[in-house]
Structures are given as C-alpha cells and as structure tokens.
Amino acid sequence: MLFIVLAIGVFLIVFATTKFKLHPFLSLLMGTLFVGFASGMPLDQIVENINGGFGGLMTSIGLVIVFGTIIGTILEKAGAALRMAEVVLRIVGPKRPQLAMSMIGFIVSIPVFCDSGFVILSSLRKALARRAKVAVASMSVALATGLYATHTLVPPTPGPIAAAGNIGADGYLGTVILIGLITAIPAALAGYIWSMKVATKIEVEDDRSDLDYDYDEIVRSFGKMPSALQSFLPIVLPIVLIGASSVLTLFGTEGGIAAFFVFLGQPVIALLVGVISALTLLPKYDEETLTNWIGAALLDAAPILLITGAGGAFGTVIKNTGIADIIQSWDMGSIFSGSLFLLVPFLIAAGLKTAQGSSTASLVITSSLIAPMLPTLGIEGAVPLALVVMAVGAGAMTVSHVNDSFFWVVTQFSGLQVTDAYKTQTMATLIQGVVTIITTMILWVILV
C-alpha cells in the first residue's frame, strides 16, 4: 500500500504541474502532504518532516545555489559569456563552427541557465552560421545540446546540486563536478554529431533571409567586454578550490596551509570566492550593478530554492513513511546487480522529465525517491553517489519537447518549425540521455 500511495503522490505532482500548470513548488508540497496523510503518518510528524526536510536541504546547498546563480547572472550581464565564446572560437577556428558552438554551450551553461545561454549567444550563432555558410539549424542544435549537457550534469547548476543534496552527496561536490564534466563530454559530442548528420538538412527562414549578420560587427555591438582571464575565473576558481579540497581530504592532510585550502574548498566558500571574482567583471560599481543585477540573480534563485526545498521535504516524508524499512528487507542485490541499478533513477527521471518538462524538478523529485534505496544497496562514498547523480541527470535530459521552456527558446530563436524541432532538438536530447546513461554505467564498471 505504501508503494501505491507513493505512486499516486508522484502522479498528483505530475498531473498538477502539467494539467493545471501549477508551479512545481506547490505541486511538490501537495504531493508531500498527500503521501504523509495517506501513509498514516501522525499529523505532528508530517509538519516536522516537511520543516526538517526543507530546512535540512537549504542548510547544505541553499547558499551554494544562490552564489551560483549570482555568478551566472554577472557573467551574462557583463558580457563575460560572450568573451568566453570568443576565446573558444579563436581556439577551434572558423572551419568547425558547429563544434565551436557546442564547446561554447558546454562552458557557458556550467554557471548560466541553458535558456539564458541560448538567448545570449543567439546573435553570435546566426552571425557565425552566415560567415561559415552552414545551416542555422545545425548551429542551433550544436549550441543547445552543448548547453544542455552541463545544465543537467555539472554543478554549480542548481539541478545537479539539488540531486547531490538529496542523496547525501553534497559533501562530495568536487567529485560530482569532476564526474559530471567527464560524463558531459560524450553527451555534448552526441549532440554535436546529431547537429552535423541531421540538423544540417533542415532549412529555416534565416537560411533564406537577406539579412546580413556581420560577425565582427555583432561582437563590437556588445561594447567593451572583460578579458578572457576575468571571464573564466568565476567558473574555474570555485571548481579548482573544490577539487583541491577533495584531494587534500582524500589523502587526510590536516593542519596548516592544507586546512586553509580545505576550508576554501567547502562548496559555500568556494562559490563565494567565485562571486567575489565575478564582481571584478562589473563595468561600474553603482546601484544598477551592485543592487539591481544581484537582485535579478536572487529573483532567479528563489523558485529554484523553493522547488529544491520542497523536494527535500518530499524526500524526508517518503523516508519516514516506513518505505525505507520495506526496501531494506528486500534482497536488492539479487534484483539489481552492479551498474544495472543506475537504470532505475534514469527511467524515473526520464518519465518525469517527459511528463512535466522541467529538468530541475525531475532531478529533485527523482533523487528524493531513490534516496532510501541507496543505503540498502550499499551505495555510499564519493564516486558511487556522484554516478547516481549522473544517472538522474541523464534521465532529466530525456527528452526536451513542447512542455519544456528550453524547447521553445531553441525553436523560437532558431526559426524552427515544431516538427523540425522534434527531429532535431527532441531527438538530440533523447540520444544525449541514452549516451549519458551508457557512459555512467561504463564509469561505474571501471571506477566502483
């Protein structure tokens, strides 16, 4: 009966989100309350679990999400994302424009939301397509899939951070970032290949348009952009600090300068250092940048924090219904051997993503659902938990279609017809998800 209650609770969340367009935060809370009541949980415990689950997750990753969002907003508004694009284009060269767009998306979407990243880089994408005389659709899919790969797999993007927090991997964020970067490479490569093989055959209005997109003029139109070092530093510095801390902790280095670097590598401190380095990108220091830009970042972070916290409450209620005890009584090892377990979070996340459209909500809900299973299977420690996050992320990218805001951003800014968008964008995200789960399972066999 508990599993039936849980299934109905998840159905209510998806139904309220898709049919009535209710915000995922309220949908999650409704589902949480239903599971609590229907499972026979005492009323005072329902309240206690909701408060504890929400607050507990905010304690571990709330500020990390806020700082990551601030970094992304500053990179977007200060032109640093465009500078990073310029650097990649110089390295890759004009003869491989789709590869350049895929790499640009891969880097930019680590701190910047994929929707925003596509909008920011859209004019450059068109200009580069015109200069290189390649199909606009292929450039669009290459950029979109590059953005998508890191959006669902690599912190400090909120979705992967929330998933890590739900399954108890927030203390291994350095490992999650490293595994995420490794796993995201085949995903981005799959999207790039799809853009070359399929999207090049799709013609859009911009391919027939007489509008002249001059690449150099568009770059100049953004005004004075920050240096390459300034642009990359807010992304690279936190990752390096978190990675160094993970290595020092792994080798048990204590005291002195090592202890200081372990402190700097704590995710909340590392991201705060990233925020401080991002402040050097501000064109001026006044109310517009120091108040309005930061305020815009906080507005962007608010719904993510609420959804993530509600997901934490949902997970805590599930854990305390007694379902974890039932799972622990099963011989799970005979049902799922080794990497086969990764298919469970993948399929759950893929079902949720396809049904309700939000990758972040899919990551949050799925990680809450599977958290009670992990101790039973003996899945603990940095690498196994990081690979579970990757499996959830693989499902959360499968697939992007008409109920996903990113689908419409790509479609509208690229001039793609919906049928063509299904052939290109939707199919590309399906392939990315399948490639990612296969990569994750292979890494499990090698590393675990």
Side-chain angles (χ1 to χ4, degrees):
M1 284 304 296
L2 279 177
F3 284 96
I4 294 173
V5 166
L6 181 57
I8 295 173
V10 174
F11 172 77
L12 286 174
I13 293 169
V14 174
F15 186 75
T17 306
T18 55
K19 181 68 175 177
F20 296 110
K21 307 302 179 186
L22 188 65
H23 194 279
F25 168 67
L26 290 178
S27 300
L28 276 164
L29 283 183
M30 285 175 53
T32 302
L33 286 168
F34 171 81
V35 171
F37 284 124
S39 65
M41 185 178 292
L43 300 182
D44 58 335
Q45 284 190 24
I46 294 176
V47 175
E48 183 180 334
N49 288 326
I50 289 175
N51 288 334
F54 190 99
L57 204 54
M58 288 300 97
T59 298
S60 60
I61 63 170
L63 286 175
V64 173
I65 291 174
V66 171
F67 293 155
T69 309
I70 291 173
I71 291 171
T73 300
I74 293 175
L75 290 179
E76 174 188 335
K77 292 182 175 294
L82 294 166
R83 174 60 73 194
M84 289 188 285
E86 273 286 280
V87 171
V88 173
L89 286 171
R90 285 202 302 268
I91 294 171
V92 176
K95 294 183 180 179
R96 293 178 289 274
Q98 289 95 339
L99 179 59
M101 292 313 299
S102 181
M103 291 176 64
I104 289 165
F106 187 95
I107 295 169
V108 168
S109 198
I110 293 174
V112 177
F113 289 106
C114 56
D115 306 61
S116 299
F118 195 91
V119 173
I120 295 164
L121 298 168
S122 190
S123 58
L124 280 179
R125 171 187 55 81
K126 290 181 181 179
L128 190 59
R130 180 58 57 92
R131 190 171 78 169
K133 294 181 172 59
V134 297
V136 171
S138 70
M139 296 289 284
S140 299
V141 174
L143 174 59
T145 52
L147 289 161
Y148 208 48
T150 47
H151 175 75
T152 54
L153 297 173
V154 184
T157 307
I161 290 179
N166 278 334
I167 66 170
D170 47 296
Y172 308 118
L173 210 53
T175 305
V176 177
I177 291 172
L178 177 60
I179 297 291
L181 288 169
I182 294 170
T183 309
I185 291 172
L189 186 60
Y192 163 68
I193 293 172
W194 190 258
S195 75
M196 295 294 291
K197 298 297 183 183
V198 176
T200 50
K201 301 172 185 176
I202 304 294
E203 189 179 57
V204 300
E205 183 63 32
D206 283 337
D207 291 314
R208 301 183 294 270
S209 174
D210 293 329
L211 292 175
D212 184 22
Y213 291 98
D214 183 82
Y215 176 81
D216 296 320
E217 186 174 329
I218 285 176
V219 171
R220 286 194 299 270
S221 71
F222 288 105
K224 184 180 179 181
M225 291 186 288
S227 69
L229 177 62
Q230 281 182 300
S231 300
F232 280 98
L233 196 61
I235 303 175
V236 175
L237 189 56
I239 293 174
V240 169
L241 289 174
I242 292 170
S245 175
S246 299
V247 171
L248 290 171
T249 303
L250 180 66
F251 287 100
T253 307
E254 297 179 0
I257 191 70
F260 179 67
F261 277 102
V262 169
F263 164 74
L264 287 179
Q266 297 301 307
V268 67
I269 302 300
L271 268 294
L272 179 57
V273 171
V275 170
I276 293 169
S277 65
L279 292 177
T280 65
L281 296 168
L282 299 179
K284 52 187 177 179
Y285 297 94
D286 58 9
E287 185 178 2
E288 172 63 22
T289 56
L290 294 174
T291 300
N292 295 347
W293 286 17
I294 305 301
L298 296 178
L299 286 175
D300 289 339
I304 297 160
L305 289 170
L306 291 172
I307 293 171
T308 302
F314 185 51
T316 302
V317 168
I318 291 171
K319 185 168 63 177
N320 291 312
T321 57
I323 226 170
D325 297 329
I326 296 173
I327 292 172
Q328 285 173 359
S329 68
W330 295 350
D331 183 10
M332 297 289 285
S334 64
I335 303 173
F336 302 110
S337 58
S339 62
L340 282 178
F341 169 74
L342 297 175
L343 291 174
V344 175
F346 169 73
L347 292 172
I348 294 172
L352 288 167
K353 166 64 178 176
T354 303
Q356 52 80 43
S358 169
S359 293
T360 301
S362 176
L363 279 154
V364 170
I365 297 169
T366 304
S367 54
S368 300
L369 287 170
I370 64 165
M373 301 181 187
L374 303 182
T376 305
L377 292 166
I379 297 176
E380 56 186 15
V383 173
L385 290 176
L387 289 171
V388 171
V389 174
M390 296 306 107
V392 179
M397 64 171 62
T398 314
V399 292
S400 174
H401 65 115
V402 291
N403 60 3
D404 181 5
S405 62
F406 187 50
F407 175 89
W408 291 111
V409 168
V410 174
T411 302
Q412 298 304 307
F413 277 82
S414 304
L416 284 165
Q417 298 296 320
V418 172
T419 52
D420 289 334
Y422 264 97
K423 294 175 189 175
T424 53
Q425 173 69 4
T426 302
M427 285 302 299
T429 58
L430 173 61
I431 291 168
Q432 281 189 295
V434 172
V435 167
T436 301
I437 190 59
I438 292 172
T439 303
T440 304
M441 294 174 76
I442 292 171
L443 288 173
W444 182 282
V445 172
I446 295 170
L447 300 175
V448 178

